[in-house]
């Protein structure tokens, strides 16, 4: 059975998905990362996806399904979907093609979301991610692993982040009404620290959500 993890930009969704995958043996399916790998490989999918990602828009569904078919075939290991679904057709697609145990939503205020995301940096050489608030490199602006220059991804700049937040807010309501009565949905407050949020996610996944 698979889990869908949703969360506004900056809610720590990717980090939490990685930790959960490791702790409970899931495969972490990060759609944004799959697209970035395709872009790095300069594949046909990657070239198409880049047009939309660089504008802060969602990649068209047919391109997104191609990436999933390739990297997350149904019936393989149990998976955590991180960044999918983000549209009503995608919700229908995942419900039809994958068994979903639960949906976990990480909630965060918009101001905090902006503060956290605009602090993100990536190595221009190896792609390793940092955050100047939470996960600083040893030397400012320099990758710990390869010494590459740290940069801000175009879609992590304030204007693009606001667009992505607006897209997220608009879609999540539709997704929730689609999944209502089909799949259990759990909301978790993501404003706490990484460990606290993770403890609550584990409780939820293990069937022991905390009251409130
Ligand atoms: P992320 O790394 O999750 O912030 O995603 C980066 C970018 O990938 C987004 O801004 C979108 O352009 C694209 N993307 C991620 N997930 C999806 C999806 N489910 N459907 C379409 N595009 C997506």
């Amino acid at each position: 059975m698979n889990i869908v993890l949703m969360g506004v930009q900056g809610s720590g969704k990717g980090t939490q998905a990685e930790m959960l995958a490791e702790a409970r043996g899931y495969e972490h399916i990060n759609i944004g990362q799959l697209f970035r790998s395709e872009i790095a490989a300069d594949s046909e999918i990657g070239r198409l996806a880049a047009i939309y990602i660089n504008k802060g828009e969602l990649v068209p569904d047919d391109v997104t399904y191609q990436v999933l078919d390739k990297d997350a075939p149904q019936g393989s290991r149990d998976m955590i979907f991180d960044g999918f679904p983000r549209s009503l057709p995608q919700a229908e697609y995942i419900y039809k093609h994958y068994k979903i145990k639960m949906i976990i939503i990480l909630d965060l205020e918009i101001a905090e979301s902006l503060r956290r995301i605009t602090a993100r940096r990536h190595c221009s050489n190896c792609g390793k991610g940092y955050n100047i608030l939470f996960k600083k490199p040893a030397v400012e602006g320099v990758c710990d692993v390869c010494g590459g220059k740290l940069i801000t991804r175009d879609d992590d700049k304030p204007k693009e982040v606001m667009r992505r937040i607006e897209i997220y807010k608009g879609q999540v309501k539709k997704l929730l009404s689609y999944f209502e009565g089909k799949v259990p949905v759990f909301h978790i407050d993501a404003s706490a620290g990484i460990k606290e949020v993770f403890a609550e996610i584990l409780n939820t996944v293990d069937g022991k959500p905390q009251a409130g």
Side-chain angles (χ1 to χ4, degrees):
M1 292 285 269
N2 306 292
I3 294 174
V4 171
L5 190 59
M6 289 186 206
V8 69
Q9 284 71 17
S11 59
K13 173 171 59 71
T15 304
Q16 297 291 346
E18 258 173 42
M19 289 165 72
L20 181 57
E22 170 123 8
R24 294 291 182 269
Y26 287 89
E27 189 172 346
H28 176 197
I29 306 298
N30 176 340
I31 309 292
Q33 191 55 49
L34 294 181
F35 282 134
R36 283 189 287 279
S37 301
E38 295 288 340
I39 291 169
D42 198 27
S43 68
E44 195 180 326
I45 293 178
R47 283 197 293 271
L48 265 174
I51 298 169
Y52 299 90
I53 290 179
N54 292 339
K55 289 192 287 189
E57 290 173 8
L58 291 178
V59 175
D61 286 342
D62 57 331
V63 181
T64 305
Y65 301 155
Q66 280 182 51
V67 168
L68 278 180
D69 281 352
K70 195 173 149 223
D71 295 311
Q74 52 205 328
S76 53
R77 286 173 60 194
D78 287 347
M79 293 178 273
I80 300 169
F81 287 94
D82 166 6
F84 184 89
R86 283 188 181 170
S87 68
L88 197 51
Q90 289 185 3
E92 289 165 357
Y93 184 90
I94 200 170
Y95 190 64
K96 192 171 159 203
H97 291 93
Y98 298 88
K99 285 202 168 73
I100 306 298
K101 173 181 170 180
M102 64 172 66
I103 295 169
I104 297 176
I105 303 190
L106 303 180
D107 293 322
L108 195 64
E109 298 286 333
I110 288 181
E112 180 61 8
S113 174
L114 265 175
R115 191 178 81 97
R116 290 180 178 187
I117 286 288
T118 52
R120 291 209 310 202
R121 302 289 181 272
H122 282 80
C123 176
S124 55
N125 183 45
C126 72
K128 185 174 166 55
Y130 296 86
N131 186 300
I132 56 172
L133 295 173
F134 310 115
K135 203 171 137 194
K136 288 184 189 172
V139 179
E140 196 184 320
V142 179
C143 178
D144 292 345
V145 177
C146 72
K149 186 175 176 231
L150 300 188
I151 54 163
T152 304
R153 255 168 47 193
D154 281 348
D155 57 344
D156 284 343
K157 292 180 179 160
K159 196 170 149 228
E160 296 309 324
V161 177
M162 272 317 294
R163 282 188 69 158
R164 286 157 66 206
I165 291 175
E166 277 163 23
I167 290 172
Y168 173 82
K169 295 269 177 199
Q171 294 293 353
V172 84
K173 271 191 192 161
K174 291 184 202 160
L175 296 181
L176 288 187
S177 56
Y178 173 78
F179 283 116
E180 201 181 340
K182 295 186 176 78
V183 179
V185 176
F186 298 93
H187 285 265
I188 290 178
D189 175 9
S191 64
I194 290 177
K195 280 186 191 157
E196 288 84 354
V197 174
F198 185 56
E200 200 160 335
I201 290 177
L202 280 185
N203 283 336
T204 305
V205 169
D206 296 341
K208 294 174 283 189
Q210 283 161 9

